[in-house]
Each structure stands twice: as C-alpha cells, then as structure tokens.
Amino acid sequence: EGVKKSPSTGYPLVCVTPCDPHFPRYAVMKERCSEAGINQTSVQFSWEVAAPTDGNGARSPFETITDNTPFTSVNHMVLDSIYFSRRFHVRCVAKAVDKVGHVGTPLRSNIVTIGT
C-alpha cells in the first residue's frame, strides 16, 4: 500500500528508488537510469529521523541515523530492527553511483509518519 498508509511501529521500512524495478513507474525510468549508468545495486542509502511534531505543529530537524544494531545496518535500502515510536517522522536518502564511481545528488523520499 506504499505511502497510502502510515507504517506501523516495529515493522521494517523499505526505500524504493526510481531505478529499482519495484518502483511504480520503473518502465518510464528504466531508460533514463540506463543512460545515466545507474545500477540499482550501487545506490548508497541512509535514513533520517525527526521527533514528533510539538503542540504547535513544529517538527524538529531531521537527523541522520548513524547507529547500526547487531542485526542490521542503517546504510541499506531496508531499515529493520530499529524501533520508532508513533508519530516519529522518517525518510530515506538515496545517492546514485554511476559506472565510474561518481556519487550523485542525494534524493530524499517523502516523509512517512510512524502510525499505530
């Protein structure tokens, strides 16, 4: 159901980039990814989190998650084994790497708010 439903606490988050065959419009993006020399397996991932909004609706700044757990790394397309409470805001950051090793501009996903 993708971003139509808030992710539940305790479940993994998955970052799907436009060059991933699971991306909804991959058929359109496939040629562009190929022309740019982007291989989905070489995309660099990171994750950012922000605390819940306060009573006035203000959100704290996003911070990069840097602490790995014994069961997962925070630098993969799947963020698992890290627990966020309800109303925390999470987004993924993906950087494409071309065939000669140049790292592209970071792309940030839409923000998801952890649900119940």
Side-chain angles (χ1 to χ4, degrees):
E1 294 179 31
V3 295
K4 296 178 185 173
K5 185 177 179 183
S6 295
S8 298
T9 57
Y11 283 86
L13 297 173
V14 180
C15 186
V16 180
T17 68
C19 292
D20 187 316
H22 296 98
F23 187 72
R25 293 180 299 154
Y26 177 70
V28 176
M29 298 302 298
K30 181 179 180 179
E31 188 175 332
R32 290 183 183 170
C33 295
S34 179
E35 287 173 1
I38 299 170
N39 180 344
Q40 177 60 25
T41 59
S42 64
V43 173
Q44 297 176 358
F45 293 95
S46 60
W47 294 85
E48 297 176 339
V49 65
T53 52
D54 64 18
N56 297 324
R59 182 178 55 234
S60 61
F62 275 90
E63 296 188 28
T64 301
I65 302 169
T66 57
D67 294 335
N68 293 316
T69 73
F71 306 106
T72 191
S73 167
V74 295
N75 297 326
H76 290 287
M77 72 182 288
V78 178
L79 184 63
D80 195 6
S81 301
I82 297 179
Y83 182 85
F84 298 105
S85 295
R86 290 178 336 131
R87 300 185 354 245
F88 269 76
H89 307 285
V90 184
R91 67 184 176 192
C92 115
V93 180
K95 292 184 276 187
V97 180
D98 68 14
K99 52 188 161 192
V100 293
H102 297 120
V103 178
T105 303
L107 299 175
R108 287 175 169 74
S109 70
N110 292 334
I111 299 166
V112 295
T113 302
I114 304 300
T116 53

PDB file of all heavy atoms in Angstrom, residues 5 8 13 15 20 31 38 41 47-48 52-55 60 75 80 85 89 94-95 100-102 104-105 108 111-112:
ATOM      1  N   LYS A   5      -0.588   4.425   3.459  1.00  0.00           N
ATOM      2  CA  LYS A   5      -0.846   4.024   4.822  1.00  0.00           C
ATOM      3  C   LYS A   5       0.415   4.263   5.654  1.00  0.00           C
ATOM      4  O   LYS A   5       1.513   3.954   5.207  1.00  0.00           O
ATOM      5  CB  LYS A   5      -1.219   2.531   4.842  1.00  0.00           C
ATOM      6  CG  LYS A   5      -1.619   2.004   6.173  1.00  0.00           C
ATOM      7  CD  LYS A   5      -2.042   0.547   6.047  1.00  0.00           C
ATOM      8  CE  LYS A   5      -2.431   0.016   7.401  1.00  0.00           C
ATOM      9  NZ  LYS A   5      -2.769  -1.404   7.332  1.00  0.00           N
ATOM     10  N   SER A   8       3.577   0.938  10.471  1.00  0.00           N
ATOM     11  CA  SER A   8       3.333   0.619  11.873  1.00  0.00           C
ATOM     12  C   SER A   8       4.640   0.523  12.641  1.00  0.00           C
ATOM     13  O   SER A   8       5.690   0.213  12.072  1.00  0.00           O
ATOM     14  CB  SER A   8       2.591  -0.712  11.988  1.00  0.00           C
ATOM     15  OG  SER A   8       1.333  -0.637  11.361  1.00  0.00           O
ATOM     16  N   LEU A  13      11.149  -0.568   7.216  1.00  0.00           N
ATOM     17  CA  LEU A  13      10.870   0.423   6.180  1.00  0.00           C
ATOM     18  C   LEU A  13      11.732   0.082   4.968  1.00  0.00           C
ATOM     19  O   LEU A  13      12.884  -0.334   5.118  1.00  0.00           O
ATOM     20  CB  LEU A  13      11.207   1.824   6.681  1.00  0.00           C
ATOM     21  CG  LEU A  13      10.398   2.322   7.877  1.00  0.00           C
ATOM     22  CD1 LEU A  13      10.956   3.650   8.374  1.00  0.00           C
ATOM     23  CD2 LEU A  13       8.941   2.466   7.498  1.00  0.00           C
ATOM     24  N   CYS A  15      13.123   1.514   1.166  1.00  0.00           N
ATOM     25  CA  CYS A  15      13.323   2.666   0.295  1.00  0.00           C
ATOM     26  C   CYS A  15      13.408   2.171  -1.145  1.00  0.00           C
ATOM     27  O   CYS A  15      14.298   1.398  -1.491  1.00  0.00           O
ATOM     28  CB  CYS A  15      14.619   3.374   0.691  1.00  0.00           C
ATOM     29  SG  CYS A  15      14.895   4.901  -0.201  1.00  0.00           S
ATOM     30  N   ASP A  20      14.808   1.238  -9.312  1.00  0.00           N
ATOM     31  CA  ASP A  20      14.501  -0.082  -8.766  1.00  0.00           C
ATOM     32  C   ASP A  20      13.310  -0.652  -9.532  1.00  0.00           C
ATOM     33  O   ASP A  20      12.307   0.038  -9.720  1.00  0.00           O
ATOM     34  CB  ASP A  20      14.150   0.061  -7.280  1.00  0.00           C
ATOM     35  CG  ASP A  20      13.969  -1.262  -6.581  1.00  0.00           C
ATOM     36  OD1 ASP A  20      13.307  -2.161  -7.147  1.00  0.00           O
ATOM     37  OD2 ASP A  20      14.463  -1.402  -5.456  1.00  0.00           O
ATOM     38  N   GLU A  31      14.901   3.508 -18.888  1.00  0.00           N
ATOM     39  CA  GLU A  31      15.792   4.009 -19.932  1.00  0.00           C
ATOM     40  C   GLU A  31      16.685   5.133 -19.401  1.00  0.00           C
ATOM     41  O   GLU A  31      17.882   5.178 -19.681  1.00  0.00           O
ATOM     42  CB  GLU A  31      14.983   4.507 -21.128  1.00  0.00           C
ATOM     43  CG  GLU A  31      15.852   4.867 -22.317  1.00  0.00           C
ATOM     44  CD  GLU A  31      15.017   5.248 -23.536  1.00  0.00           C
ATOM     45  OE1 GLU A  31      13.885   4.764 -23.676  1.00  0.00           O
ATOM     46  OE2 GLU A  31      15.535   6.044 -24.334  1.00  0.00           O
ATOM     47  N   ILE A  38      23.252   4.163 -14.072  1.00  0.00           N
ATOM     48  CA  ILE A  38      22.941   3.885 -12.664  1.00  0.00           C
ATOM     49  C   ILE A  38      22.539   2.430 -12.511  1.00  0.00           C
ATOM     50  O   ILE A  38      21.615   1.950 -13.149  1.00  0.00           O
ATOM     51  CB  ILE A  38      21.813   4.804 -12.149  1.00  0.00           C
ATOM     52  CG1 ILE A  38      22.257   6.256 -12.238  1.00  0.00           C
ATOM     53  CG2 ILE A  38      21.422   4.426 -10.723  1.00  0.00           C
ATOM     54  CD1 ILE A  38      21.151   7.250 -11.981  1.00  0.00           C
ATOM     55  N   THR A  41      22.074  -1.722  -7.694  1.00  0.00           N
ATOM     56  CA  THR A  41      22.858  -2.371  -6.639  1.00  0.00           C
ATOM     57  C   THR A  41      23.956  -1.471  -6.082  1.00  0.00           C
ATOM     58  O   THR A  41      24.523  -1.765  -5.035  1.00  0.00           O
ATOM     59  CB  THR A  41      23.493  -3.689  -7.144  1.00  0.00           C
ATOM     60  OG1 THR A  41      24.338  -3.389  -8.251  1.00  0.00           O
ATOM     61  CG2 THR A  41      22.414  -4.683  -7.550  1.00  0.00           C
ATOM     62  N   TRP A  47      19.326   6.946   6.260  1.00  0.00           N
ATOM     63  CA  TRP A  47      17.994   7.217   6.791  1.00  0.00           C
ATOM     64  C   TRP A  47      18.056   8.403   7.734  1.00  0.00           C
ATOM     65  O   TRP A  47      19.051   8.597   8.433  1.00  0.00           O
ATOM     66  CB  TRP A  47      17.458   5.988   7.524  1.00  0.00           C
ATOM     67  CG  TRP A  47      17.219   4.835   6.609  1.00  0.00           C
ATOM     68  CD1 TRP A  47      18.136   3.909   6.193  1.00  0.00           C
ATOM     69  CD2 TRP A  47      15.992   4.499   5.963  1.00  0.00           C
ATOM     70  NE1 TRP A  47      17.554   3.016   5.330  1.00  0.00           N
ATOM     71  CE2 TRP A  47      16.232   3.352   5.181  1.00  0.00           C
ATOM     72  CE3 TRP A  47      14.716   5.060   5.977  1.00  0.00           C
ATOM     73  CZ2 TRP A  47      15.236   2.749   4.421  1.00  0.00           C
ATOM     74  CZ3 TRP A  47      13.727   4.458   5.230  1.00  0.00           C
ATOM     75  CH2 TRP A  47      13.990   3.316   4.458  1.00  0.00           C
ATOM     76  N   GLU A  48      16.982   9.186   7.744  1.00  0.00           N
ATOM     77  CA  GLU A  48      16.877  10.345   8.630  1.00  0.00           C
ATOM     78  C   GLU A  48      15.595  10.236   9.446  1.00  0.00           C
ATOM     79  O   GLU A  48      14.583   9.709   8.968  1.00  0.00           O
ATOM     80  CB  GLU A  48      16.866  11.645   7.820  1.00  0.00           C
ATOM     81  CG  GLU A  48      18.145  11.874   7.038  1.00  0.00           C
ATOM     82  CD  GLU A  48      18.101  13.119   6.159  1.00  0.00           C
ATOM     83  OE1 GLU A  48      16.992  13.597   5.819  1.00  0.00           O
ATOM     84  OE2 GLU A  48      19.189  13.611   5.815  1.00  0.00           O
ATOM     85  N   PRO A  52       8.485  13.601  16.886  1.00  0.00           N
ATOM     86  CA  PRO A  52       7.110  14.022  16.572  1.00  0.00           C
ATOM     87  C   PRO A  52       6.951  15.532  16.656  1.00  0.00           C
ATOM     88  O   PRO A  52       7.693  16.215  17.371  1.00  0.00           O
ATOM     89  CB  PRO A  52       6.278  13.339  17.663  1.00  0.00           C
ATOM     90  CG  PRO A  52       7.099  12.179  18.108  1.00  0.00           C
ATOM     91  CD  PRO A  52       8.522  12.633  17.973  1.00  0.00           C
ATOM     92  N   THR A  53       5.969  16.045  15.905  1.00  0.00           N
ATOM     93  CA  THR A  53       5.699  17.480  15.954  1.00  0.00           C
ATOM     94  C   THR A  53       5.207  17.862  17.339  1.00  0.00           C
ATOM     95  O   THR A  53       4.593  17.058  18.042  1.00  0.00           O
ATOM     96  CB  THR A  53       4.633  17.878  14.904  1.00  0.00           C
ATOM     97  OG1 THR A  53       3.497  17.028  15.082  1.00  0.00           O
ATOM     98  CG2 THR A  53       5.150  17.725  13.506  1.00  0.00           C
ATOM     99  N   ASP A  54       5.500  19.092  17.734  1.00  0.00           N
ATOM    100  CA  ASP A  54       5.057  19.548  19.058  1.00  0.00           C
ATOM    101  C   ASP A  54       3.606  20.033  18.982  1.00  0.00           C
ATOM    102  O   ASP A  54       2.957  19.943  17.937  1.00  0.00           O
ATOM    103  CB  ASP A  54       5.994  20.633  19.608  1.00  0.00           C
ATOM    104  CG  ASP A  54       6.010  21.908  18.795  1.00  0.00           C
ATOM    105  OD1 ASP A  54       5.069  22.141  17.996  1.00  0.00           O
ATOM    106  OD2 ASP A  54       6.955  22.694  18.959  1.00  0.00           O
ATOM    107  N   GLY A  55       3.103  20.556  20.057  1.00  0.00           N
ATOM    108  CA  GLY A  55       1.724  21.018  20.134  1.00  0.00           C
ATOM    109  C   GLY A  55       1.383  22.114  19.145  1.00  0.00           C
ATOM    110  O   GLY A  55       0.225  22.299  18.767  1.00  0.00           O
ATOM    111  N   SER A  60      10.924  18.967  14.729  1.00  0.00           N
ATOM    112  CA  SER A  60      12.352  19.148  14.952  1.00  0.00           C
ATOM    113  C   SER A  60      13.089  18.800  13.660  1.00  0.00           C
ATOM    114  O   SER A  60      12.548  18.117  12.793  1.00  0.00           O
ATOM    115  CB  SER A  60      12.822  18.260  16.106  1.00  0.00           C
ATOM    116  OG  SER A  60      12.605  16.900  15.799  1.00  0.00           O
ATOM    117  N   ASN A  75      22.665   1.600   6.505  1.00  0.00           N
ATOM    118  CA  ASN A  75      23.049   2.012   5.156  1.00  0.00           C
ATOM    119  C   ASN A  75      22.537   1.059   4.080  1.00  0.00           C
ATOM    120  O   ASN A  75      23.195   0.849   3.064  1.00  0.00           O
ATOM    121  CB  ASN A  75      24.573   2.152   5.065  1.00  0.00           C
ATOM    122  CG  ASN A  75      25.073   3.230   5.990  1.00  0.00           C
ATOM    123  OD1 ASN A  75      24.415   4.229   6.206  1.00  0.00           O
ATOM    124  ND2 ASN A  75      26.234   3.022   6.562  1.00  0.00           N
ATOM    125  N   ASP A  80      15.543  -2.025   9.303  1.00  0.00           N
ATOM    126  CA  ASP A  80      14.888  -3.022  10.143  1.00  0.00           C
ATOM    127  C   ASP A  80      15.576  -3.051  11.497  1.00  0.00           C
ATOM    128  O   ASP A  80      16.713  -2.586  11.638  1.00  0.00           O
ATOM    129  CB  ASP A  80      14.977  -4.385   9.465  1.00  0.00           C
ATOM    130  CG  ASP A  80      14.024  -5.417  10.048  1.00  0.00           C
ATOM    131  OD1 ASP A  80      13.208  -5.054  10.915  1.00  0.00           O
ATOM    132  OD2 ASP A  80      14.103  -6.572   9.626  1.00  0.00           O
ATOM    133  N   SER A  85       8.819   5.140  17.790  1.00  0.00           N
ATOM    134  CA  SER A  85       7.504   5.286  18.402  1.00  0.00           C
ATOM    135  C   SER A  85       6.547   5.961  17.427  1.00  0.00           C
ATOM    136  O   SER A  85       6.962   6.527  16.417  1.00  0.00           O
ATOM    137  CB  SER A  85       7.602   6.135  19.669  1.00  0.00           C
ATOM    138  OG  SER A  85       8.370   5.475  20.631  1.00  0.00           O
ATOM    139  N   HIS A  89       8.899  10.911  12.468  1.00  0.00           N
ATOM    140  CA  HIS A  89       8.971  11.125  11.026  1.00  0.00           C
ATOM    141  C   HIS A  89      10.264  10.503  10.512  1.00  0.00           C
ATOM    142  O   HIS A  89      11.333  10.734  11.079  1.00  0.00           O
ATOM    143  CB  HIS A  89       8.950  12.618  10.707  1.00  0.00           C
ATOM    144  CG  HIS A  89       7.796  13.332  11.339  1.00  0.00           C
ATOM    145  ND1 HIS A  89       6.510  13.233  10.879  1.00  0.00           N
ATOM    146  CD2 HIS A  89       7.742  14.145  12.419  1.00  0.00           C
ATOM    147  CE1 HIS A  89       5.716  13.956  11.637  1.00  0.00           C
ATOM    148  NE2 HIS A  89       6.436  14.522  12.585  1.00  0.00           N
ATOM    149  N   ALA A  94      18.785   8.529  -0.779  1.00  0.00           N
ATOM    150  CA  ALA A  94      19.451   7.646  -1.738  1.00  0.00           C
ATOM    151  C   ALA A  94      20.376   8.476  -2.624  1.00  0.00           C
ATOM    152  O   ALA A  94      20.016   9.561  -3.067  1.00  0.00           O
ATOM    153  CB  ALA A  94      18.419   6.920  -2.594  1.00  0.00           C
ATOM    154  N   LYS A  95      21.581   7.932  -2.838  1.00  0.00           N
ATOM    155  CA  LYS A  95      22.544   8.580  -3.730  1.00  0.00           C
ATOM    156  C   LYS A  95      22.955   7.565  -4.789  1.00  0.00           C
ATOM    157  O   LYS A  95      23.510   6.514  -4.464  1.00  0.00           O
ATOM    158  CB  LYS A  95      23.768   9.062  -2.947  1.00  0.00           C
ATOM    159  CG  LYS A  95      23.470  10.196  -1.988  1.00  0.00           C
ATOM    160  CD  LYS A  95      24.714  10.709  -1.320  1.00  0.00           C
ATOM    161  CE  LYS A  95      25.032   9.835  -0.130  1.00  0.00           C
ATOM    162  NZ  LYS A  95      26.118  10.320   0.694  1.00  0.00           N
ATOM    163  N   VAL A 100      31.349   4.920 -13.255  1.00  0.00           N
ATOM    164  CA  VAL A 100      32.736   5.289 -12.960  1.00  0.00           C
ATOM    165  C   VAL A 100      32.929   5.676 -11.494  1.00  0.00           C
ATOM    166  O   VAL A 100      33.997   6.122 -11.106  1.00  0.00           O
ATOM    167  CB  VAL A 100      33.239   6.415 -13.900  1.00  0.00           C
ATOM    168  CG1 VAL A 100      33.336   5.907 -15.322  1.00  0.00           C
ATOM    169  CG2 VAL A 100      32.396   7.647 -13.814  1.00  0.00           C
ATOM    170  N   GLY A 101      31.878   5.516 -10.682  1.00  0.00           N
ATOM    171  CA  GLY A 101      32.007   5.750  -9.244  1.00  0.00           C
ATOM    172  C   GLY A 101      31.631   7.127  -8.749  1.00  0.00           C
ATOM    173  O   GLY A 101      31.809   7.433  -7.571  1.00  0.00           O
ATOM    174  N   HIS A 102      31.109   7.994  -9.627  1.00  0.00           N
ATOM    175  CA  HIS A 102      30.681   9.320  -9.179  1.00  0.00           C
ATOM    176  C   HIS A 102      29.369   9.208  -8.412  1.00  0.00           C
ATOM    177  O   HIS A 102      28.419   8.607  -8.899  1.00  0.00           O
ATOM    178  CB  HIS A 102      30.499  10.273 -10.364  1.00  0.00           C
ATOM    179  CG  HIS A 102      31.761  10.520 -11.106  1.00  0.00           C
ATOM    180  ND1 HIS A 102      31.913  10.206 -12.435  1.00  0.00           N
ATOM    181  CD2 HIS A 102      32.945  11.042 -10.709  1.00  0.00           C
ATOM    182  CE1 HIS A 102      33.128  10.524 -12.834  1.00  0.00           C
ATOM    183  NE2 HIS A 102      33.786  11.026 -11.794  1.00  0.00           N
ATOM    184  N   GLY A 104      25.977  10.704  -6.984  1.00  0.00           N
ATOM    185  CA  GLY A 104      25.046  11.739  -7.403  1.00  0.00           C
ATOM    186  C   GLY A 104      24.483  12.547  -6.242  1.00  0.00           C
ATOM    187  O   GLY A 104      24.811  12.333  -5.076  1.00  0.00           O
ATOM    188  N   THR A 105      23.618  13.472  -6.581  1.00  0.00           N
ATOM    189  CA  THR A 105      22.942  14.313  -5.603  1.00  0.00           C
ATOM    190  C   THR A 105      22.019  13.465  -4.740  1.00  0.00           C
ATOM    191  O   THR A 105      21.281  12.627  -5.268  1.00  0.00           O
ATOM    192  CB  THR A 105      22.100  15.388  -6.332  1.00  0.00           C
ATOM    193  OG1 THR A 105      22.974  16.125  -7.185  1.00  0.00           O
ATOM    194  CG2 THR A 105      21.410  16.313  -5.357  1.00  0.00           C
ATOM    195  N   ARG A 108      15.884  12.669  -1.379  1.00  0.00           N
ATOM    196  CA  ARG A 108      15.175  12.325  -0.144  1.00  0.00           C
ATOM    197  C   ARG A 108      13.762  11.884  -0.479  1.00  0.00           C
ATOM    198  O   ARG A 108      13.093  12.493  -1.303  1.00  0.00           O
ATOM    199  CB  ARG A 108      15.164  13.523   0.800  1.00  0.00           C
ATOM    200  CG  ARG A 108      16.535  13.738   1.406  1.00  0.00           C
ATOM    201  CD  ARG A 108      16.628  14.984   2.258  1.00  0.00           C
ATOM    202  NE  ARG A 108      17.862  15.002   3.017  1.00  0.00           N
ATOM    203  CZ  ARG A 108      19.068  15.239   2.521  1.00  0.00           C
ATOM    204  NH1 ARG A 108      19.212  15.484   1.242  1.00  0.00           N
ATOM    205  NH2 ARG A 108      20.136  15.236   3.290  1.00  0.00           N
ATOM    206  N   ILE A 111       8.300  12.040   3.365  1.00  0.00           N
ATOM    207  CA  ILE A 111       8.340  11.772   4.803  1.00  0.00           C
ATOM    208  C   ILE A 111       7.194  10.837   5.154  1.00  0.00           C
ATOM    209  O   ILE A 111       6.066  11.048   4.715  1.00  0.00           O
ATOM    210  CB  ILE A 111       8.234  13.076   5.606  1.00  0.00           C
ATOM    211  CG1 ILE A 111       9.409  13.988   5.284  1.00  0.00           C
ATOM    212  CG2 ILE A 111       8.137  12.803   7.092  1.00  0.00           C
ATOM    213  CD1 ILE A 111       9.220  15.419   5.764  1.00  0.00           C
ATOM    214  N   VAL A 112       7.505   9.801   5.913  1.00  0.00           N
ATOM    215  CA  VAL A 112       6.443   8.950   6.459  1.00  0.00           C
ATOM    216  C   VAL A 112       6.381   9.171   7.957  1.00  0.00           C
ATOM    217  O   VAL A 112       7.404   9.438   8.608  1.00  0.00           O
ATOM    218  CB  VAL A 112       6.640   7.451   6.142  1.00  0.00           C
ATOM    219  CG1 VAL A 112       6.543   7.191   4.657  1.00  0.00           C
ATOM    220  CG2 VAL A 112       7.944   6.931   6.695  1.00  0.00           C
TER     221      VAL A 112
END
